[in-house]
Amino acid sequence: MYSEFDLDKIDLSAIPPAEEPDRQYYFMAKCREWIRGFEEKNGRIPSCCVTTFGCQMNARDSEKLVGILRRVGYQVTESEDADFVIFNTCTVRDNANQRVYGRLGELKSRKKRNPDMKIALCGCMMQESAVIEKLRTSYRFVDLVFGTHNIFKFAELLCRSFEEQGMIVDIWENTDQIVEDLPVERKYPFKSGINIMFGCNNFCSYCIVPYVRGRERSREPEDILQEIRQLAAEGVVEVMLLGQNVNSYGKNLKEPMTFAELLREVEKIEGVERIRFMTSHPKDLSEELIQVMKESRKICRHLHLPLQSGSTRILERMNRRYTKEQYLALAEKIRREIPDIAITTDIIVGFPGETMEDVEETIDVIRRVKYDNAFTFIYSKRTGTPAAAMENQVPEAQVREGFDRVLKVVQDTAREQVARYQSQRAQVLVEEVNEHDEKLLTGRMSNNTLVHFPGTVELVGRILTESRDECQRF
Ligand code: SAM
Ligand code: SF4
């Protein structure tokens, strides 16, 4: 099997290997030849910029794209004034799509000034056929379009875009393939996301994810553990295990394994100091997981437990498969077993048929669970999902009113919760120099609270003990 260190040894006169990941290493070597040609012609290294929209899954996918771009010879920049710009898109809510179209308009004028510039689009939005139609008709200047299922083929597609003229579109409907051992370029040297599974089988009635990310597929535990051991050897101290519903990890493996069992194995890896994960579907959160969290030294004191709605009637229409009472009982059990845990959540306001009484039910849950933080979203109609065809879409004014009420309670509760940590000493992983004040550092407590305190850049990546009196929370 090839690795990133073999690129110069690959025989490009041979036919491309059929097996992955060797095939992609072959195309990386080929792309490298193209980039060398660019350097000779222009007397400089070409630049690239990967812009990520959406969730941590997309952020991780972007690290994989950057890994390949760097290996083939691009210089990575933050500026979209680059020779190659990729938008890794999200389509969970319609405003994410609209932002991509707006930003594409800006890229069009850049490409007019630099006709050799390349533009690629990938990610969840590309899995929607209406989007592809629109790109083909109104955004002909885009060079390469690919989806979520064939992202591992990026090097091959990049190579094609060097060799062919016109827009290349390669979208797969689905896949059961997981390609391991491709290069990744981490954004942070000291922490990393790790995909433990892909796709989702839950079909919440408002959500487009199962349609654009496909069915649930778990990675083999040994592949995950080997990746984490390697990360730890490279100095990573915090890992975040990623999946749309980590609580159903391992169910479709040849030798099934629970998520809690996987966590126990990750805990044993030397060098890893902190373990995070997201997202946990409440219906699948097991007693075993609570016990593993409780006993663990390394699993962070934070659980993201999406509620979506506090009304059992709406939860049923959302196909969430738990009731208000079941959710409350679960949250209570978690707080009882792990008293220092922070619980955060996602809430949707304005789901079809939602009344102000339903919103009050949601507010009741927020007050009772006392969330440390919550992401509150206005319901967005996604074509193709069951909710989009439901009657009783909620009038905008009512949605706004409900949203403002929910937001106010979320903010009040979060403020009360954070006051709990006042005067306590807590461990903080220093993540970066503060964006607004270079005399301050920004770090994260185990419970995911961001704190800012005086310090200098050498401390980035270290776990320190800080007193909350000296910290500010933004
Ligand atoms: N799999 C995770 C889960 O079940 O919580 C999260 C997936 S989704 C990318 C993140 C959040 O987006 C969801 O928890 C939900 O609150 C929100 N979301 C999904 N579809 C939405 C829609 N159509 N309108 C508004 N918010 C939506
Ligand atoms: Fe979407 Fe529900 Fe799957 Fe989360 S669990 S990705 S909200 S369908």
Side-chain angles (χ1 to χ4, degrees), residues 92 199-211 244-245 279 281 283 306 308 318-320 346 348:
V92 170
C200 181
N201 286 351
N202 284 311
F203 290 94
C204 301
S205 65
Y206 50 81
C207 185
I208 202 158
V209 169
Y211 305 91
Q244 292 299 348
N245 177 15
T279 302
H281 196 305
K283 77 174 164 59
Q308 313 301 359
M318 286 178 161
N319 192 29
R320 288 291 288 179
D346 291 346
I348 298 177

Side-chain angles (χ1 to χ4, degrees), residues 247-302:
N247 295 335
S248 67
Y249 170 79
K251 286 187 181 152
N252 57 2
L253 289 171
K254 270 193 234 102
E255 288 178 39
M257 176 185 215
T258 65
F259 179 54
E261 285 166 349
L262 178 70
L263 281 173
R264 277 208 196 94
E265 295 304 312
V266 178
E267 174 107 16
K268 291 180 196 157
I269 298 177
E270 220 172 290
V272 170
E273 300 288 339
R274 282 180 164 193
I275 305 167
R276 297 186 185 279
F277 54 84
M278 76 187 308
T279 302
S280 274
H281 196 305
K283 77 174 164 59
D284 296 316
L285 199 145
S286 65
E287 178 65 40
E288 185 195 13
L289 177 63
I290 298 175
Q291 289 314 313
V292 168
M293 288 183 79
K294 184 176 169 177
E295 288 157 18
S296 168
R297 255 188 346 97
K298 297 184 177 177
I299 299 175
C300 288
R301 287 331 198 204
H302 172 221

Side-chain angles (χ1 to χ4, degrees), residues 307 309-311 324 327-328 360-371:
L307 168 68
S309 168
S311 155
K324 174 184 181 183
Y327 184 99
L328 281 171
E360 284 309 319
E361 299 267 14
T362 300
I363 289 176
D364 184 45
V365 177
I366 301 170
R367 290 212 169 102
R368 294 219 231 161
V369 176
K370 297 192 174 64
Y371 292 111

Side-chain angles (χ1 to χ4, degrees), residues 12 14 44 56 100 104 122 145 147 156 205 210 224 277 300 305 309 313 324 334 368 379 383 391 399 422 446 464:
L12 292 177
R44 64 179 179 86
Q56 260 130 345
V100 168
L104 267 180
C122 64
V145 180
E156 185 169 350
S205 65
I224 298 170
F277 54 84
C300 288
L305 194 64
S309 168
R313 192 179 69 85
K324 174 184 181 183
I334 294 164
R368 294 219 231 161
Y379 167 72
T383 309
E391 288 171 2
V399 176
Q422 211 58 46
S446 164
L464 310 175

